[in-house]
C-alpha cells in the first residue's frame, strides 16, 4: 500500500471516531433531555413519545423532556407559572415555589407551606431535597433547567411573554400535568376573547385611534412593541407610541423628553410591586402638566389591586378590556367590563370576586 493511501485511511478513521463521539455526547448522555431538538423542526408542545407511564415533549426552550404522567408533586421558581397551575386545577400538587403573593395564597392556602426552591434562580440543593416529580422554569434559563435535569428531576422550560407563547405554554403545561381538557377550555376562552376584542376594536377608524403608552416600574420606562403590554395596547385599539422604540432591555428607557415629544393621550402605569411612583405623581407634576394625558386626567394604574391584569397569562384579556373601557367607553361599558371580570375568575379559579375585593 502506498504511503499516501495509508495516510488517507488513518485520517478517515480519525474522522469516523470523532463523529461517533460527537453523536454519543449529543444523544447518549443527559437525564431525560436532548438539546439538539431545535433543528428537528418540532414545535414546543409537540409530544415526541408517550407510554403508559410517561410522556416526552418539546418544551419552550426547544428541549426534549420526558416526564412522569400525572405528576403528584410540582415545583417552580418562575412565579408567572403559578397562575397557570392554579387555573389548571394543579394547585394542590405544588410543593416547592419561590416568591408568592397574598392573592395566590388566598386561592391556594397550601402555598404558604411550600418549600423555598429559589426566587427566580434555582436552589438546586433545596430542590434535590424536595424531589418533586416535575419542575417548571423560565425557558430562557437553559443552564438552570439543565442543572435541575442533572439531579434527576424533569425540568420543563416555559415562556409566557406573547399571546402566542401563552397558548403554547398552556398546551404544554396541560400535557405534562395531565390536565389537557382544562387547558383546552382555557385556550378556547382566551382565543374567543381575543376574537371578540378584535371585533370590538374593528369599529375604531384609524384616524380615531388614541395614542398611548404603558410605563413600567419607574418613570420613563415603557413597553415597546415586542412586550406583552405593548401588544395589549394595540389589541385595545390604541397606537402604541413606543412600538418602534429600539429596545435592548425589558421595559426600555425612553426618557421623559421622548415621552413629552410623543405627547400620548393616555398613559397606563404598570401595576408592579416594584413601582416607585403612581398616577398622582404624574398628575401633580408641573413638568407633565401640558401633556394631553395629564390635561385630560387619562393617567391610570392598571388594575386590579390584588391581581394584575397585565400579568403574562390569560388574565391579560381583562387588561385589554380595561384599556378599551378607558379609551373607548362607548365600546366596553362598565357593566360589560364587570361581566368579563366575573367570567374570567369563575372559569380560572372557580369563584367570583367583587370589585372591592379585587380593587378595580
Amino acid at each position: 500500500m502506498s504511503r499516501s493511501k495509508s495516510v488517507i485511511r488513518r485520517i478517515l478513521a480519525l474522522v469516523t471516531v470523532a463523529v461517533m463521539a460527537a453523536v454519543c455526547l449529543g444523544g447518549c448522555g443527559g437525564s431525560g433531555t436532548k438539546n439538539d431538538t431545535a433543528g428537528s423542526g418540532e414545535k414546543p408542545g409537540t409530544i415526541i413519545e408517550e407510554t403508559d407511564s410517561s410522556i416526552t415533549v418539546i418544551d419552550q426552550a426547544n428541549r426534549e423532556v420526558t416526564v412522569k404522567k400525572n405528576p403528584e408533586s410540582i415545583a417552580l421558581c418562575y412565579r408567572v407559572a403559578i397562575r397557570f397551575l392554579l387555573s389548571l386545577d394543579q394547585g394542590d400538587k405544588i410543593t416547592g415555589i419561590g416568591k408568592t403573593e397574598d392573592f395566590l395564597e388566598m386561592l391556594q392556602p397550601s402555598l404558604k407551606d411550600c418549600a423555598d426552591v429559589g426566587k427566580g434562580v434555582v436552589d438546586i440543593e433545596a430542590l434535590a431535597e424536595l424531589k418533586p416529580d416535575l419542575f417548571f422554569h423560565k425557558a430562557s434559563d437553559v443552564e438552570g433547567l439543565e442543572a435541575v435535569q442533572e439531579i434527576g428531576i424533569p425540568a420543563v422550560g416555559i415562556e409566557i411573554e406573547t399571546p402566542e407563547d401563552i397558548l403554547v405554554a398552556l398546551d404544554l403545561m396541560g400535557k405534562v400535568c395531565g390536565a389537557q381538557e382544562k387547558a383546552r377550555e382555557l385556550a378556547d376562552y382566551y382565543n374567543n376573547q381575543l376574537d371578540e376584542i378584535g371585533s370590538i376594536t374593528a369599529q375604531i377608524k384609524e384616524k380615531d385611534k388614541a395614542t398611548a403608552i404603558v410605563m413600567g416600574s419607574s418613570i420613563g420606562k415603557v413597553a415597546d412593541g415586542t412586550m406583552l403590554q405593548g401588544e395589549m395596547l394595540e389589541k385595545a385599539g390604541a397606537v402604541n407610541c413606543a412600538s418602534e422604540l429600539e429596545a435592548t432591555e425589558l421595559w426600555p428607557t425612553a426618557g421623559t423628553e421622548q415621552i413629552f415629544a410623543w405627547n400620548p393621550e393616555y398613559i397606563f402605569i404598570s401595576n408592579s410591586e416594584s413601582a416607585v411612583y403612581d398616577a398622582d405623581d404624574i398628575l401633580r407634576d408641573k413638568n407633565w402638566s401640558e401633556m394631553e394625558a395629564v390635561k385630560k386626567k387619562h393617567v391610570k394604574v392598571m388594575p386590579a389591586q390584588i391581581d394584575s391584569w397585565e400579568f403574562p397569562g390569560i388574565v391579560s384579556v381583562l387588561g385589554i378590556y380595561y384599556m378599551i373601557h378607558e379609551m373607548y367607553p362607548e365600546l366596553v361599558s362598565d357593566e360589560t367590563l364587570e361581566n368579563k371580570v366575573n367570567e374570567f375568575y369563575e372559569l380560572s379559579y372557580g369563584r367570583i370576586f367583587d370589585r372591592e375585593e379585587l380593587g378595580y
Side-chain angles (χ1 to χ4, degrees):
M1 181 184 297
S2 69
R3 176 179 174 81
S4 61
K5 286 183 178 181
S6 177
V7 170
I8 290 172
R9 287 193 175 185
R10 285 200 298 273
I11 292 172
L12 287 174
L14 288 170
V15 170
T16 300
V17 170
V19 169
M20 290 178 68
V23 169
C24 185
L25 285 172
C28 301
S31 307
T33 65
K34 295 179 183 178
N35 291 321
D36 57 351
T37 56
S40 69
E42 301 289 359
K43 296 180 179 179
T46 300
I47 297 176
I48 301 299
E49 185 179 358
E50 187 170 5
T51 69
D52 291 339
S53 59
S54 68
I55 180 173
T56 302
V57 296
I58 302 298
D59 72 358
Q60 286 176 281
N62 288 319
R63 299 162 57 255
E64 189 175 313
V65 189
T66 299
V67 303
K68 171 185 174 182
K69 273 190 173 179
N70 299 313
E72 297 174 3
S73 56
I74 301 171
L76 65 158
C77 62
Y78 184 32
R79 185 173 47 146
V80 173
I82 298 179
R83 282 172 169 78
F84 279 64
L85 290 172
L86 297 185
S87 295
L88 290 169
D89 301 324
Q90 303 296 299
D92 58 341
K93 297 180 181 179
I94 301 174
T95 57
I97 56 173
K99 195 171 184 179
T100 183
E101 305 166 33
D102 290 343
F103 175 69
L104 299 176
E105 292 176 359
M106 181 195 308
L107 296 171
Q108 187 68 44
S110 61
L111 292 177
K112 299 175 184 178
D113 302 318
C114 286
D116 185 345
V117 293
K119 294 175 175 59
V121 178
V122 186
D123 185 333
I124 294 296
E125 186 176 337
L127 204 56
E129 184 176 346
L130 187 64
K131 295 180 181 176
D133 293 332
L134 175 62
F135 180 74
F136 286 111
H137 192 44
K138 53 190 175 185
S140 58
D141 184 10
V142 175
E143 185 178 346
L145 288 164
E146 288 301 305
V148 174
Q149 202 75 36
E150 286 298 320
I151 61 173
I153 298 171
V156 175
I158 57 172
E159 184 70 41
I160 316 174
E161 292 300 331
T162 68
E164 294 74 22
D165 288 340
I166 289 168
L167 287 169
V168 173
L170 197 57
D171 174 62
L172 174 63
M173 295 176 76
K175 285 173 178 172
V176 298
C177 291
Q180 288 166 281
E181 185 176 341
K182 186 60 183 287
R184 282 191 292 269
E185 185 180 5
L186 291 166
D188 288 344
Y189 164 82
Y190 186 65
N191 281 322
N192 290 339
Q193 295 309 308
L194 291 181
D195 287 344
E196 185 174 336
I197 285 167
S199 298
I200 292 171
T201 57
Q203 303 172 55
I204 307 168
K205 295 179 181 179
E206 198 66 32
K207 66 181 182 66
D208 295 329
K209 287 188 173 182
T211 56
I213 60 171
V214 180
M215 282 208 302
S217 58
S218 60
I219 294 174
K221 286 186 174 294
V222 295
D224 67 342
T226 67
M227 292 180 59
L228 176 64
Q229 289 83 353
E231 289 198 41
M232 287 170 62
L233 265 185
E234 294 184 359
K235 288 185 182 299
V239 175
N240 179 13
C241 299
S243 63
E244 300 301 321
L245 190 68
E246 292 187 8
T248 57
E249 58 182 338
L250 194 64
W251 292 106
T253 301
T256 52
E257 286 188 16
Q258 178 60 73
I259 294 174
F260 293 160
W262 286 331
N263 193 25
E265 298 170 90
Y266 290 85
I267 297 175
F268 296 100
I269 298 172
S270 173
N271 184 12
S272 169
E273 62 189 10
S274 60
V276 295
Y277 70 106
D278 60 21
D280 284 341
D281 291 325
I282 299 293
L283 292 169
R284 294 172 181 170
D285 190 331
K286 292 181 180 179
N287 294 319
W288 292 69
S289 60
E290 293 304 309
M291 185 173 293
E292 283 298 306
V294 175
K295 286 193 288 187
K296 296 178 180 178
K297 299 190 185 310
H298 290 163
V299 182
K300 306 287 183 178
V301 175
M302 289 293 292
Q305 188 173 336
I306 65 170
D307 182 34
S308 176
W309 293 351
E310 47 151 333
F311 212 76
I314 62 175
V315 71
S316 60
V317 296
L318 296 186
I320 300 172
Y321 278 118
Y322 171 78
M323 288 174 167
I324 299 172
H325 172 64
E326 288 296 321
M327 295 185 290
Y328 314 104
E330 71 281 6
L331 297 181
V332 172
S333 67
D334 195 63
E335 182 182 3
T336 297
L337 177 62
E338 186 171 355
N339 289 337
K340 291 297 181 183
V341 171
N342 292 341
E343 182 183 13
F344 167 79
Y345 285 102
E346 177 67 33
L347 173 64
S348 295
Y349 306 121
R351 61 166 292 183
I352 293 174
F353 298 86
D354 61 39
R355 299 185 75 139
E356 289 71 28
E357 281 183 289
L358 284 173
Y360 73 95

